[in-house]
Amino acid sequence: MAEAKKGTTLSDDRAMRIDPDLVRELAELLTDNELTEIEVQDGERRIRVGREPAAVFGAASPAPVAAPPVAAAPPAAEPAPAQTEIAGETVKSPMVGTAFMSAEPGAAPFIAVGDAVEAGDTLLIIEAMKVMNPITAPSGGVVKKIMVADAQPVEFDQPLVIIG
């Protein structure tokens, strides 16, 4: 009987311990940023929280089925000209969060189209899990395009700013 308890303890030690506060915080991020899925990884521990998008109307279910074939063709044609029109280095989001264009509400934005920036200058801030993360210019240049709005939710690897 002592061996059974010892075996049970061993399997309990190998089981992943779930931090309910972290899961709750991730779920709040989903809701606050209108996301459908979020995933974090810490070493070998990986937690993914997801939810179904809310339906706006009862007839909304058939619309997504019909929309992708129609929407799939035009976006494929649009991004190529947009990328060739604006040459420069695209700064992408290193995380999921909310983009803020200024240090605090009502303050002047960090950048505007046409501004000259140097490597290391703050372009914007991304708030993720109550932490403000400055996104800095990787190199000097002129801000050619800002691709996000203030307080807009952003995804990992989403283009934020083009510097040329």
Side-chain angles (χ1 to χ4, degrees):
M1 191 152 214
E3 288 180 27
K5 287 183 180 178
K6 193 174 192 179
T8 303
T9 305
L10 180 61
S11 66
D12 289 345
D13 289 342
R14 291 183 183 167
M16 179 170 62
R17 290 190 169 85
I18 297 174
D19 181 358
D21 292 331
L22 176 60
V23 174
R24 192 172 299 112
E25 192 169 343
L26 291 173
E28 286 175 13
L29 275 173
L30 283 176
T31 303
D32 293 347
N33 295 306
E34 299 177 7
L35 302 173
T36 56
E37 183 177 348
I38 190 167
E39 183 174 338
V40 293
Q41 185 169 351
D42 180 21
E44 291 187 25
R45 182 174 74 162
R46 192 168 109 188
I47 298 175
R48 187 175 122 209
V49 178
R51 65 181 174 102
E52 292 295 320
V56 177
F57 296 103
S61 297
V65 174
V70 174
E78 284 182 28
Q83 291 174 353
T84 56
E85 289 176 21
I86 301 175
E89 184 173 5
T90 302
V91 178
K92 295 183 178 183
S93 177
M95 65 193 73
V96 173
T98 304
F100 291 102
M101 304 310 291
S102 60
E104 59 185 38
F110 292 109
I111 58 169
V113 174
D115 285 355
V117 294
E118 296 180 14
D121 285 354
T122 299
L123 302 173
L124 55 101
I125 294 173
I126 295 182
E127 177 191 5
M129 298 181 71
K130 309 284 185 203
V131 176
M132 299 297 183
N133 301 283
I135 305 303
T136 58
S139 59
V142 175
V143 177
K144 300 246 180 163
K145 186 172 183 178
I146 300 172
M147 303 168 83
V148 291
D150 191 43
Q152 176 183 334
V154 295
E155 298 288 333
F156 173 76
D157 213 28
Q158 177 179 339
L160 304 171
V161 179
I162 297 178
I163 300 172

